[in-house]
Amino acid sequence: RRFVYRKHSVAASMQPALAAVLAELAKPYMKENARVLDPFCGAGTLLVERRFLMPVRNLYGIDIFGEAVEKARANTKAAGMQANYINRDYFDFTHGYLFDEIITDMPVSAGNKEETDFLYRRFFEKSGELLADHGRVIMYSGEMGLVKKYLRLQESFRLLKEFCILEKRGMYLFVLEKKA
């Protein structure tokens, strides 16, 4: 019954139980009444689980896959919540105000290492533009090396915490903070 809101999914959708665990681990780093953005929202599961933990001011989900956005809208409505979903490429997204949190399950690149590296570089750059000072990035990723690389190269972020979630698959939850 806990996850009855999850009516729809796409192939890359995060399981609700995993989203709930990730959100709970990151809870001490979240801000109440935050403006929250998920740049690769899929079916909206991580945003819904974030909202279950504490009040938010606004929820925004972006995904390049239109079907995922429609499913996210339906899931969020089934959860009795309100969120703004946009069918767009994160790297083309602009907004009138900065966000307090970016929470996301990083996409797994089907391409080569260079494409994955490019994705992470662009993610750090774009997130730096959209995140308020002292804002947080809560990121689930299987690319520890790239996260650490761009923490070194993008001096605007610092690592607050990392959690090993699935050791065999190299999956981690990272909590980053944007420096002032």
Side-chain angles (χ1 to χ4, degrees):
R1 294 180 54 145
R2 166 70 178 79
F3 303 113
V4 295
Y5 70 87
R6 174 68 176 269
K7 307 285 185 199
H8 307 280
S9 64
V10 292
S13 291
M14 178 178 280
Q15 292 298 318
L18 176 59
V21 167
L22 296 176
E24 188 65 40
L25 285 170
K27 186 178 179 180
Y29 304 95
M30 294 174 179
K31 177 182 172 184
E32 194 166 320
N33 297 314
R35 292 177 169 138
V36 181
L37 169 67
D38 184 344
F40 313 108
C41 71
T45 309
L46 199 51
L47 280 176
V48 169
E49 291 300 328
R50 163 58 179 93
R51 174 56 187 89
F52 274 140
L53 288 179
M54 69 178 61
V56 297
R57 186 170 181 179
N58 304 96
L59 287 175
Y60 276 82
I62 302 170
D63 205 289
I64 200 164
F65 185 41
E67 182 182 340
V69 170
E70 292 305 315
K71 290 178 177 186
R73 287 184 180 124
N75 289 338
T76 304
K77 183 177 179 180
M81 298 177 185
Q82 171 62 36
N84 303 291
Y85 289 104
I86 302 164
N87 180 204
R88 178 173 291 163
D89 187 330
Y90 175 55
F91 304 112
D92 296 329
F93 176 70
T94 58
H95 204 272
Y97 57 76
L98 298 176
F99 291 88
D100 302 302
E101 291 176 20
I102 294 174
I103 186 167
T104 197
D105 176 10
M106 288 296 286
V108 176
S109 176
N112 58 35
K113 287 186 178 193
E114 290 80 21
E115 289 176 2
T116 305
D117 187 278
F118 184 64
L119 171 74
Y120 274 76
R121 179 177 61 80
R122 290 179 70 203
F123 173 79
F124 272 82
E125 289 170 355
K126 187 66 175 181
S127 297
E129 294 172 15
L130 292 174
L131 201 60
D133 289 346
H134 302 290
R136 306 283 167 85
V137 174
I138 300 163
M139 173 196 313
Y140 184 60
S141 172
E143 297 289 345
M144 177 187 264
L146 290 175
V147 172
K148 298 289 178 95
K149 174 182 177 177
Y150 286 106
L151 279 169
R152 283 190 314 274
L153 295 176
Q154 301 282 335
E155 296 179 0
S156 58
F157 288 97
R158 69 184 181 108
L159 178 66
L160 296 180
K161 186 74 176 175
E162 71 182 56
F163 301 92
C164 180
I165 305 300
L166 296 169
E167 188 173 13
K168 283 186 177 183
R169 291 186 47 217
M171 299 302 295
Y172 287 82
L173 178 66
F174 297 95
V175 181
L176 316 175
E177 182 177 66
K178 182 180 174 188
K179 298 175 187 175

